[in-house]
Amino acid sequence: MAKVWQIEMLGALRVTGQDVSIDRFRTRRVALLLAYLACYRNRVHFRDEVGELLWPETDPVAIGRNLRQALTSLRHVVEPPPLPPGSILQVQQARLRLNPELVSTDVGEFEQSISEARRKGDAPERIPLLRRAIDLYKGEFLPGYSEDWVTQERLRLDDLYVYSLRKLIDHCKQTKNPEESVYYLRLALEKERLNEELHVCLMEEYLASGRPASAIQQFEDLRRQLEDHLGEEPGQAAFDLYEKAQRTTDPSVQTPTRRAAPNPPPRLQPEIEEEGAPAPTVRLPVHLTRFCGRQEEVAYTLDHLLYRDVRLTTLLGPAGTGKTRLAAEVGRRLAETGEWNVWFVPLADVSDGSTVMDAIFELLKARGAGNQDPLDRLRNTLHGRQNNLLILDNLEHIVEDAAPVIDRIAQKVPEVRLLVTSRQSLRLSVEHQIPVPPLPVPPSISAPEDLTELARLAECPSVQLFVDRCQAIRPDFQLTTHNSRAIAAICGKLEGVPLAIELAAGLSGSFPPSQMVYHLQKRLTALTSRRRDLPARHRSLRAAIDYSYETLPAALQRFFASLSVFRGGFKVEAAYEVCFRDRFEPACEDASMRTVPLDDCLNLLIELQERSLLRTEEADEECELSFRMLESFREYAEEHLSEAEHHDLCAQHGEFYRRQPPKTTFALSAEERTKRHLWIESEYENYIAAIDFYFREQAFEPCIELLEILATTWASRGPRGAERSYIRRIANRLEGETIDPARHILLLRMLGTTHIRSLEYAAAHQICIKALAIAERHALSDQIAVCHTAIATCAGYLGNLDECLVLSEKVLATVPEENLLQRERAYLGIGAVHWGRGALDEANRAFQRAADISAKRLGGDPEALILSNLARVSLDTGRLDEAMTRLGETMRICGRLHDDFGMATCLSLVSRYHWLKRDLAAAVATGFEALTKFRQADFSHYSLVGIFQQALILVDIEEWEVAATLLATTQGIGRAARLPDEWDHAAAIGKIRLHLGAAEFERAWARGLAMDTEEAFRLALRFK
């Protein structure tokens, strides 16, 4: 099968196909992901393994999100139309790889050539293979990358390369071919500069080919290398060859005297000076504060400057993200090599872009007359200098006039590299852009309980920056377990924007971090600096954004302000419907005569993105591109709306999201359900903003409609805090209000769900009874059945199995056959009752009936919860292999639907499978994964079920005290426990009491009773 892509990793990372070559990737991590999969393309990789390799020491949720985004970006690179998705990048459940049948690599061909050469006994067959390997080796493996796995692979491939060179050198000596031998020896010395044996061999070949002067030069090079690096002199063999070469050129020359090995002399000037060239020039601003984070951006920029033929690189980012500091840091690192001339050209005060050359000439002290062609004058100034970097800082306000000047320099002056910082793209074909986003922020945390967690938080770049700048004001300021939560909240609220963090740190002389969080509610007002040495545009967050806003045309200013109605990300269609259609679309009665309005809206969005006022976000592969505005920018934009404009926009925003995603009257396929789920999740903040608007307007029915949309995702993650809050507040406000009874019932059922999630089963039961009363009062037969199912669920959690069974059977008797959802739920309730009583065969039959109905209702796979129940019954009846087959199917469904809660349930059952099989190490490891996901799903009952399962395993590995403590915390399961669980519980308690004794058991049990669920999670997660 013909290969679609050739991936090169030796000398540079490049993807080559028919008529296309790609060497730029969205981020450095995307490039590393491609390289890793390509380097080991014959393996199948686990997502968790790859994620942890690329994002070490990162929260698992963030790793999963980052990996999904990286895979999406990589898929865009390697699977452009018409290649079908999955043809190159194969992702199946938890595994991924590049298709080895369609992808080849220079590393693979290099290794294959050497491997075949080793198998060949005869030189005529072996030598061409070794020559091909040398030709394939265009440079070291992934230059510019320093990750551990890259370094190890680089050393291994270097060894293979040198091995091949040595074999070819030996062959050339045997066949008396000194010219070819010289070629290969030079290549080998590039890798092993201090290998005296190779230097001596090269001198011998030079003499053999009649080139004594080259042999002398090689001796001098060896002598200098050994003296500089090792403080040693060459050996006698080298001196003998040197003498021979000298006498060949001049017989009167005497043997040079060997010096004692001195200490290496200090290198006061770079090597270029020894040849008479001018010393490198460095003109950089002095920064006396610590540089935090940005390792990836620094490495990526250096890669552009050092290893790629990139003449113009733009560091592109919004106000305050640290572009200037990043550029200066890159310049400093190049200057430290002693091989680069670096000039920093500040342009913030330049008002005319056409005078950029004047600013450059002034800094360079340019040679030549003012009437000379500027490019010739620049070339003359740089004559004799190699590796020149011009940093052009703050170009955005003069970009229109400056861009042609910069384009000419990049095109016509090959001696110079340009590094530009700007909030706006130059839009030049020669330009390579490197985004400069805000710094990473820590996840929302509770206060760390140990030094390990605190150390992990201290490694977050935004936290490092905040602490460092606070210490400049209060030298005794430290990150502690007491202030860590507030500091994490500050960095998160400021979204990792370095300027905002530095301004917030300026408040540390007046407020502790906990009070800073409160003052940052009005960040544009609070974040103002009193420092005299800052430029005006950096003395406040508002001034920094002003600097960008004031360069916008009036229409773009209006559009930017209107986008402030969105929270989080938003799609192009949303921006068009809410902000563009009625405000910017040209009036025209004949729709066919209009320009394409959606394209016009997209053009405005792209314009704002290119000015760094918006950023794009690629969500999961199934979702379309989103735009997002930093919250500081959104608040600033909102200030430019009148009260009436803001109200009208909020109303249109709410109407749009009430219609999204469109309702259907038919069952959605699994793919369509996944897309719907991901769309809702990606727009979550906008739904909450719309609910807030309608709540303030006291329009409660639209609130309930929006909450109903969000509730379609609860099966996988449950109601979040904001949803719970609005549900309870609306329910309290509806007392005495008249609304549609079906809406009222829906709200009460959602309220009941929030109580169940919090283990408040009795309250949920009472609320569902209240909903039933409303349904009966209005004779809503379909709602009566729904309420009976809800009450039956609550009764099951309360342990009222008789009530649950009666109500479930009543639903089956009253709802029509075509009401598949209620019949499915009724069989699920009946199965749960039988399961709770230990009648496992009856439970299996009821669950299987529910699964059949669910498959019919969904037109494919049944609900994951039903399948996991069937798997648990199989485990409880000893059909372990059958259970694992079911769990594999269920995990596939959960993965496809992004059902984290369902995945947690499956992992808990897999842990139980390993426990029953007595593979305790696997049981603990899988239990750890399950607990991590249960913790994220925030469903207290099932969290306790996961902790209970982990406690059973800990009993068998003889962690008696911890097991007793965790079993005590799971008393919240209470009467909802099933009979098989009660048997396990009794057996575990018996073992613990036997080994601990009464007193120690009571102490451990008391500790568990005093623990909340979060503390229990922390304890259980100690075991991996």
Side-chain angles (χ1 to χ4, degrees):
M1 185 179 294
K3 304 294 185 184
V4 175
W5 295 112
Q6 164 78 358
I7 300 176
E8 299 172 11
M9 293 169 278
L10 296 171
L13 179 60
R14 183 178 290 105
V15 181
T16 305
Q18 186 175 5
D19 302 325
V20 63
S21 179
I22 303 164
D23 63 359
R24 298 189 70 226
F25 305 91
R26 184 175 179 85
T27 67
R28 191 168 183 273
R29 300 293 171 84
V30 172
L32 272 173
L33 173 62
L34 171 64
Y36 184 76
L37 296 179
C39 186
Y40 307 111
R41 71 193 185 287
N42 291 318
R43 297 185 199 167
V44 175
H45 306 276
F46 288 93
R47 293 179 75 119
D48 290 347
E49 163 207 324
V50 175
E52 290 178 6
L53 183 78
L54 294 176
W55 293 276
E57 303 298 328
T58 303
D59 177 69
V61 176
I63 288 177
R65 182 178 62 250
N66 293 341
L67 182 58
R68 287 195 296 272
Q69 292 176 357
L71 287 170
T72 299
S73 179
L74 183 55
R75 196 178 293 284
H76 292 166
V77 172
V78 300
E79 292 177 352
L83 289 176
S87 58
I88 304 294
L89 182 57
Q90 298 178 331
V91 181
Q92 296 178 346
Q93 298 181 31
R95 297 175 175 84
L96 59 141
R97 70 168 186 170
L98 291 179
N99 186 348
E101 295 183 359
L102 299 180
V103 172
S104 61
T105 70
D106 57 352
V107 170
E109 294 174 4
F110 173 75
E111 291 178 303
Q112 184 179 2
S113 294
I114 295 173
S115 178
E116 290 181 10
R118 283 172 166 167
R119 291 196 295 268
K120 302 295 184 182
D122 299 328
E125 296 178 324
R126 184 173 68 254
I127 297 306
L129 291 168
L130 292 173
R131 285 173 177 157
R132 183 170 187 274
I134 299 305
D135 291 340
L136 284 166
Y137 192 93
K138 296 184 176 65
E140 70 177 14
F141 179 71
L142 296 180
Y145 295 86
S146 57
E147 283 70 14
D148 289 345
W149 74 269
V150 174
T151 302
Q152 293 170 9
E153 196 64 24
R154 183 180 295 150
L155 292 173
R156 186 183 69 82
L157 294 171
D158 282 354
D159 288 344
L160 287 175
Y161 176 61
V162 172
Y163 161 84
S164 302
L165 288 170
R166 286 181 176 275
K167 291 296 183 184
L168 288 169
I169 292 165
D170 291 343
H171 172 74
C172 292
K173 285 186 174 183
Q174 292 170 8
T175 58
K176 301 192 181 322
N177 186 351
E179 289 300 327
E180 189 174 359
S181 180
V182 165
Y183 171 70
Y184 293 129
L185 280 164
R186 282 176 172 173
L187 293 179
L189 277 170
E190 289 179 5
K191 288 294 179 187
E192 299 184 346
R193 293 187 179 277
L194 300 180
N195 189 318
E196 187 170 347
E197 177 194 352
L198 291 175
H199 283 276
V200 169
C201 287
L202 184 53
M203 291 173 68
E204 289 174 342
E205 295 303 311
Y206 278 140
L207 289 172
S209 59
R211 296 160 62 186
S214 296
I216 293 170
Q217 182 62 42
Q218 193 63 39
F219 175 82
E220 295 295 346
D221 182 54
L222 169 62
R223 195 173 198 175
R224 185 173 59 252
Q225 294 276 2
L226 293 178
E227 183 177 295
D228 287 351
H229 296 283
L230 302 178
E232 296 178 357
E233 282 281 291
Q236 188 61 49
F239 270 91
D240 291 345
L241 290 170
Y242 177 72
E243 176 188 359
K244 182 177 180 181
Q246 288 279 49
R247 290 183 174 174
T248 302
T249 56
D250 184 355
S252 65
V253 173
Q254 296 183 357
T255 306
T257 304
R258 291 190 63 185
R259 300 192 300 266
N263 292 323
R267 297 300 299 271
L268 299 179
Q269 300 292 349
E271 187 173 322
I272 192 171
E273 278 194 47
E274 298 172 13
E275 300 172 5
T281 301
V282 179
R283 298 286 185 270
L284 285 171
V286 177
H287 289 101
L288 302 179
T289 52
R290 179 184 172 194
F291 182 76
C292 300
R294 300 291 189 208
Q295 289 87 352
E296 185 170 325
E297 289 86 353
V298 169
Y300 206 39
T301 308
L302 289 173
D303 179 53
H304 277 62
L305 296 171
L306 293 171
Y307 302 108
R308 305 184 188 201
D309 188 21
V310 177
R311 297 187 183 179
L312 171 59
T313 303
T314 301
L315 300 179
L316 189 65
T321 53
K323 301 178 292 296
T324 297
R325 186 64 191 273
L326 173 59
E329 179 66 15
V330 169
R332 183 187 68 78
R333 297 198 187 184
L334 287 176
E336 284 181 346
T337 67
E339 299 175 358
W340 280 76
N341 303 289
V342 182
W343 293 273
F344 184 92
V345 186
L347 299 173
D349 297 328
V350 175
S351 58
D352 183 356
S354 62
T355 64
V356 167
M357 288 295 284
D358 295 335
I360 294 173
F361 289 148
E362 181 179 353
L363 191 70
L364 267 63
K365 297 181 172 36
R367 306 168 186 167
N371 58 0
Q372 185 181 8
D373 179 89
L375 298 183
D376 289 339
R377 190 179 177 194
L378 182 59
R379 279 192 289 265
N380 291 338
T381 301
L382 298 176
H383 178 71
R385 295 177 181 268
Q386 298 297 321
N387 301 330
N388 303 293
L389 176 66
L390 284 177
I391 300 174
L392 306 180
D393 185 51
N394 281 302
L395 198 74
E396 56 275 345
H397 62 297
I398 54 173
V399 68
E400 294 298 332
D401 294 330
V405 177
I406 293 170
D407 189 37
R408 287 197 297 275
I409 297 174
Q411 299 278 3
K412 303 295 185 181
V413 188
E415 299 89 347
V416 72
R417 295 292 179 268
L418 297 168
L419 181 60
V420 172
T421 73
S422 177
R423 304 180 189 183
Q424 184 175 352
S425 165
L426 276 64
R427 300 180 184 173
L428 298 174
S429 60
V430 72
E431 178 186 29
H432 284 230
Q433 298 174 11
I434 296 179
V436 184
L439 292 171
V441 299
S444 298
I445 59 166
S446 56
E449 291 189 350
D450 56 48
L451 294 179
T452 302
E453 290 187 24
L454 196 65
R456 190 176 299 120
L457 179 62
E459 292 173 358
C460 179
S462 57
V463 173
Q464 290 177 347
L465 179 65
F466 180 80
V467 172
D468 181 75
R469 301 308 188 258
C470 286
Q471 289 173 342
I473 298 170
R474 291 178 49 200
D476 61 341
F477 187 91
Q478 296 293 336
L479 176 68
T480 68
T481 55
H482 298 293
N483 65 18
S484 57
R485 186 172 186 177
I487 291 174
I490 290 168
C491 295
K493 190 171 185 64
L494 299 179
E495 300 170 285
V497 176
L499 174 62
I501 291 172
E502 291 187 335
L503 292 171
L507 301 174
S508 61
S510 304
F511 304 105
S514 57
Q515 290 186 22
M516 283 188 213
V517 175
Y518 171 77
H519 287 285
L520 290 179
Q521 291 177 2
K522 297 182 178 179
R523 73 191 81 191
L524 293 176
T525 303
L527 296 181
T528 302
S529 176
R530 299 173 63 84
R531 283 176 50 191
R532 295 185 177 89
D533 60 340
L534 284 176
R537 68 184 186 280
H538 285 165
R539 287 184 182 171
S540 73
L541 188 58
R542 188 190 304 278
I545 306 173
D546 278 338
Y547 194 67
S548 295
Y549 179 78
E550 289 166 0
T551 64
L552 299 178
L556 203 55
Q557 287 181 344
R558 287 172 50 222
F559 186 60
F560 172 66
S562 67
L563 292 173
S564 66
V565 72
F566 292 105
R567 300 294 193 277
F570 58 88
K571 311 292 190 296
V572 177
E573 181 186 2
Y576 169 71
E577 292 290 341
V578 176
C579 302
F580 185 86
R581 188 176 62 179
D582 296 335
R583 289 171 172 76
F584 295 91
E585 184 178 335
C588 181
E589 293 183 3
D590 185 357
S592 65
M593 298 297 292
R594 296 178 187 170
T595 59
V596 181
L598 199 63
D599 288 352
D600 294 340
C601 178
L602 178 59
N603 289 336
L604 291 181
L605 292 171
I606 292 173
E607 178 77 15
L608 289 172
Q609 181 211 2
E610 290 181 342
R611 292 172 180 266
S612 300
L613 290 168
L614 291 178
R615 53 179 175 163
T616 54
E617 289 188 339
E618 286 190 36
D620 296 273
E621 296 181 40
E622 297 87 347
C623 283
E624 62 181 292
L625 191 72
S626 289
F627 291 89
R628 177 180 284 268
M629 192 184 293
L630 288 171
E631 185 61 19
S632 304
F633 287 37
R634 193 202 65 76
E635 290 180 8
Y636 176 93
E638 190 176 82
E639 290 180 352
H640 289 75
L641 294 173
S642 69
E643 188 174 333
E645 287 174 323
H646 184 256
H647 183 277
D648 290 346
L649 280 166
C650 286
Q652 283 191 262
H653 175 269
E655 284 299 314
F656 175 78
Y657 283 99
R658 286 173 67 186
R659 302 192 303 269
Q660 301 296 326
K663 295 182 179 179
T664 60
T665 57
F666 51 86
L668 297 175
S669 67
E671 182 180 355
E672 290 167 332
R673 279 186 287 153
T674 298
K675 287 183 177 179
R676 183 183 181 90
H677 173 92
L678 293 174
W679 197 96
I680 294 171
E681 288 293 272
S682 69
E683 298 285 352
Y684 178 80
E685 293 177 69
N686 282 306
Y687 279 108
I688 295 298
I691 293 168
D692 182 71
F693 168 73
Y694 284 121
F695 184 80
R696 286 185 281 106
E697 295 284 308
Q698 299 188 41
F700 299 125
E701 290 197 34
C703 289
I704 298 170
E705 287 180 39
L706 291 162
L707 286 165
E708 182 182 16
I709 295 171
L710 292 178
T712 61
T713 66
W714 287 0
S716 65
R717 52 105 175 144
R720 297 190 176 108
E723 296 159 83
R724 297 185 188 204
S725 174
Y726 280 113
I727 289 168
R728 297 191 181 195
R729 290 162 68 190
I730 295 168
N732 291 335
R733 296 286 290 273
L734 280 184
E735 296 297 334
E737 293 278 344
T738 302
I739 67 167
D740 177 65
R743 294 281 180 213
H744 198 173
I745 291 167
L746 173 61
L747 177 70
L748 292 175
R749 286 173 43 227
M750 289 191 289
L751 180 60
T753 298
T754 67
H755 284 296
I756 287 176
R757 288 269 178 164
S758 303
L759 302 179
E760 299 164 345
Y761 305 136
H765 190 261
Q766 290 300 316
I767 288 166
C768 291
I769 290 174
K770 182 178 178 181
L772 177 61
I774 296 172
E776 290 176 339
R777 186 164 63 247
H778 292 276
L780 303 174
S781 58
D782 57 335
Q783 292 297 319
I784 290 172
V786 170
C787 291
H788 280 149
T789 301
I791 296 169
T793 300
C794 297
Y797 281 112
L798 285 167
N800 300 336
L801 299 185
D802 289 340
E803 180 184 5
C804 179
L805 183 60
V806 168
L807 288 172
S808 298
E809 290 177 340
K810 186 174 184 178
V811 170
L812 283 179
T814 56
V815 300
E817 289 287 337
E818 59 270 18
N819 191 339
L820 298 178
L821 178 60
Q822 293 308 313
R823 298 186 71 82
E824 171 192 318
R825 293 290 182 261
Y827 277 114
L828 194 56
I830 292 169
V833 170
H834 290 310
W835 187 6
R837 290 173 171 171
L840 299 180
D841 290 339
E842 290 87 343
N844 191 71
R845 282 193 291 270
F847 287 145
Q848 187 59 61
R849 187 73 183 100
D852 294 341
I853 296 173
S854 180
K856 180 179 179 181
R857 176 174 67 85
L858 297 174
D861 295 319
E863 290 278 6
L865 176 62
I866 301 172
L867 290 178
S868 63
N869 283 346
L870 281 166
R872 174 60 198 266
V873 172
S874 297
L875 289 174
D876 290 343
T877 53
R879 304 193 306 275
L880 303 187
D881 292 339
E882 176 187 308
M884 277 302 290
T885 301
R886 289 189 185 279
L887 287 171
E889 178 186 359
T890 310
M891 292 172 76
R892 176 180 58 80
I893 295 170
C894 292
R896 191 175 64 239
L897 298 178
H898 298 262
D899 183 352
D900 292 334
F901 170 69
M903 188 66 76
T905 303
C906 289
L907 287 169
S908 183
L909 293 176
V910 172
S911 176
R912 185 175 180 83
Y913 166 85
H914 289 306
W915 176 63
L916 292 170
K917 285 277 195 177
R918 314 313 295 162
D919 185 351
L920 299 181
V924 170
T926 315
F928 177 86
E929 286 188 72
L931 285 173
T932 302
K933 289 190 176 293
F934 274 134
R935 193 181 196 182
Q936 297 157 6
D938 192 24
F939 193 156
S940 297
H941 174 82
Y942 284 94
S943 297
L944 294 177
V945 169
I947 292 171
F948 173 77
Q949 177 59 43
Q950 197 75 338
L952 297 180
I953 301 167
L954 294 179
V955 170
D956 283 359
I957 62 174
E958 300 183 3
E959 291 285 347
W960 308 112
E961 290 186 28
V962 177
T965 300
L966 292 178
L967 286 173
T969 66
T970 64
Q971 294 305 291
I973 298 175
R975 289 170 289 176
R978 310 172 189 95
L979 195 57
D981 291 332
E982 292 179 5
W983 296 333
D984 292 336
H985 183 272
I989 293 295
K991 289 182 182 179
I992 295 170
R993 283 184 180 276
L994 180 64
H995 286 84
L996 282 185
E1000 286 189 45
F1001 174 83
E1002 291 301 332
R1003 281 195 293 270
W1005 192 261
R1007 283 196 297 271
L1009 293 176
M1011 276 187 179
D1012 60 23
T1013 305
E1014 179 59 28
E1015 291 172 318
F1017 267 126
R1018 287 177 178 272
L1019 180 60
L1021 289 171
R1022 284 171 39 193
F1023 300 90
K1024 299 183 182 183

